Amino acid sequence: MKFDITTLEGKSAGSVELSDEVFGLEPRADLLARMVRYQLAKRRAGTHKSKGRSEVDRTRKKIYKQKGTGGARHGAASAPQFRGGGKAFGPVVRDHGHDLPKKVRALALRHALSSKAKDAGIIIIDDVTLSEPKTKVLLGHFGKLDLSSALIIGGAEIDTNFGLAARSIPNVDVLPVQGINVYDILRRDKLVLTRAAVDALEARFK
């Protein structure tokens, strides 16, 4: 499929032919959902913790005699049913991540790219460079391109001035091509790819 290339100033810079193997697939919602779940689970800290009955600092002395009270036969005040006792089956520190085959992850990325292409959500820019790190200047460029919610993918390295100017703009993410991922693609309205990013992605999947 053919896409027009523009510049940051909104001027035409030619066109490029995108591979149907990367940008022309019929998007599968199940694959995208599995990948988003995989990414979000992997980034969870898993540091939640509550104390069990063996960890709370309470006396181990039997709280009252075994017989003759008419009550239950309790042994320690650290039992979960008492105020100040340990929590039964509480959360523990653990890793929430789970496995997803490498081929499935790669396929999900292609489907995410195809989804944006199908919804006319891809913009291809010649290059993302600025002469000075001015957010106001960059906002002016984004206004010409009608960008308010976007993931911008550059080449192997992001221009320093562009990265500094973009980092304080809400709903705009800037990543090198190595950092492209399904979750960030789907959470923004537009996907902005540089010519270098397109070449790198097509080379990666061939």
Side-chain angles (χ1 to χ4, degrees), residues 12-155:
S12 176
S15 62
V16 65
E17 191 73 28
L18 298 184
S19 170
D20 287 339
E21 296 178 3
V22 182
F23 296 91
L25 303 177
E26 186 62 32
R28 278 178 51 186
D30 63 315
L31 268 180
L32 299 178
R34 285 179 66 188
M35 188 61 193
V36 169
R37 179 174 176 269
Y38 167 81
Q39 283 189 244
L40 294 182
K42 200 169 183 182
R43 68 171 60 179
R44 289 182 65 178
T47 53
H48 42 13
K49 177 73 173 72
S50 65
K51 289 186 177 182
R53 64 181 298 171
S54 65
E55 298 170 308
V56 294
D57 187 18
R58 302 211 70 181
T59 177
R60 296 294 186 267
K61 186 178 183 296
K62 189 169 177 63
I63 57 178
Y64 49 73
K65 63 182 182 177
Q66 176 83 346
K67 294 182 178 293
T69 65
R73 298 170 293 182
H74 291 298
S78 58
Q81 60 265 44
F82 294 123
R83 183 182 181 90
K87 188 173 180 63
F89 308 113
V92 294
V93 175
R94 68 186 181 93
D95 180 12
H96 289 270
H98 58 271
D99 291 333
L100 194 64
K102 187 175 181 180
K103 288 185 178 180
V104 175
R105 302 198 306 261
L107 184 60
L109 180 55
R110 288 162 58 195
H111 276 262
L113 294 170
S114 298
S115 174
K116 283 297 181 189
K118 184 177 180 181
D119 296 339
I122 289 182
I123 297 174
I124 299 179
I125 287 186
D126 187 37
D127 198 8
V128 284
T129 56
L130 290 176
S131 57
E132 52 183 353
K134 296 291 185 180
T135 301
K136 186 176 181 180
V137 174
L138 188 57
L139 282 172
H141 294 325
F142 284 175
K144 295 175 184 176
L145 296 172
D146 193 24
L147 291 180
S148 57
S149 172
L151 170 64
I152 301 171
I153 303 296

Side-chain angles (χ1 to χ4, degrees), residues 160-183:
T160 303
N161 289 340
F162 186 89
L164 290 172
R167 68 182 180 180
S168 60
I169 302 177
N171 300 322
V172 171
D173 301 319
V174 181
L175 293 173
V177 69
Q178 309 94 293
I180 190 170
N181 64 88
V182 172
Y183 177 66

